[in-house]
Amino acid sequence: MEKPFSKFAPFYDEFMLKLVNYDAWVEYLIDIWSFFNVKPKIILDLACGTGIPSIILLKKGYQVIGIDKSKEMLNIFKKKINNYPDLKKNLTIIESDITNFNLNIQVDAAVSFYDSINYLLNEDEIERCFSLIYKFLKEKGIFSFDMNTIFVLEKFWANNKFIRESENLKTIWENKFDKKLKISTLYLKCYLKNSNESFTEFHQERGYEYKTIVKILKKVGFKKIKIFQHLTFLPARRDSLRVMFVALK
Ligand SMILES: C[S@@+](CC[C@H](N)C(=O)[O-])C[C@H]1O[C@@H](n2cnc3c(N)ncnc32)[C@H](O)[C@@H]1O
């Protein structure tokens, strides 16, 4: 069994770009910044992975600091950014855990895309991550991140199997939901189409009550907090599939 985002890393973009409209998501993020009347220049992208959203932000003229603990995902990011020499000077990549990192500057905004915060499996990890974000945000800085809801992990992923295919892979996504811990465990089996090779990665995501996340954001110091249904400005509901948290310093 491989660790998450190791062997899958070279195939991540071909899968995600089919599943997720990152351009629309970044536009939504920019709308959120306007809604809260902030005009960030330096953005911290937590759990940046292969840098899909970071590169969109760089192309729009923002400075980006990307942090991720997966060397394999960051290697893909580094390879891609070499195709954009003029953007490279506005990017810093840090290989680190988002619960334990250091920056030598403060940023205007922190962002995190696509379930990354769900990968933190207990409240202590969430608190360590949020308190560092608070520390490295400038006064009036903004932190926006999405989360998968308990509803989606329990009712949709549940104990289901999904078969998905991309250009180079055939995959089976086998989920198991632990009702007590609210943790979804995923065995991601991948078969390479042009060889006999295969591998399985082990992933875990935890769903949190919204009030738990709000409690931790407030505990570390954030003042104003909103929770929207993803890609909208409507209030999050219990049965939302994905939600967007926004917290202001
Ligand atoms: C679903 S991917 C999202 C990547 C990127 N944000 C995107 O939207 O394409 C989740 C990422 O979270 C990273 N990750 C998970 N837990 C982490 C942690 N504790 N510290 C740093 N990175 C973490 C993984 O390595 C992976 O790159």
Side-chain angles (χ1 to χ4, degrees), residues 5 12 22 47-49 52-53 68-70 73 96-98 113-114 116 119-120:
F5 304 103
Y12 181 84
Y22 277 99
C48 60
I52 303 172
D68 202 286
K69 70 175 180 184
S70 162
M73 293 289 269
S96 178
D97 201 297
I98 55 171
F113 292 83
Y114 215 81
S116 303
Y119 276 82
L120 304 180

Side-chain angles (χ1 to χ4, degrees), residues 125-165:
E125 286 190 342
I126 300 255
E127 185 175 331
R128 270 186 276 138
C129 173
F130 288 1
S131 65
L132 286 170
I133 293 161
Y134 189 84
K135 172 175 170 192
F136 293 118
L137 267 179
K138 288 181 192 161
E139 267 326 298
K140 299 198 160 55
I142 187 166
F143 173 33
S144 325
F145 59 99
D146 72 294
M147 285 191 100
N148 265 327
T149 58
I150 293 176
F151 180 78
V152 85
L153 299 185
E154 184 166 12
K155 304 288 181 211
F156 281 70
W157 295 14
N159 293 326
N160 291 326
K161 253 190 203 177
F162 302 94
I163 294 177
R164 297 190 176 113
E165 205 171 316

Side-chain angles (χ1 to χ4, degrees), residues 28-40 142:
Y28 173 53
L29 182 72
I30 292 170
D31 286 346
I32 290 177
W33 293 338
S34 307
F35 187 89
F36 290 97
N37 216 8
V38 290
K39 292 190 177 64
I142 187 166

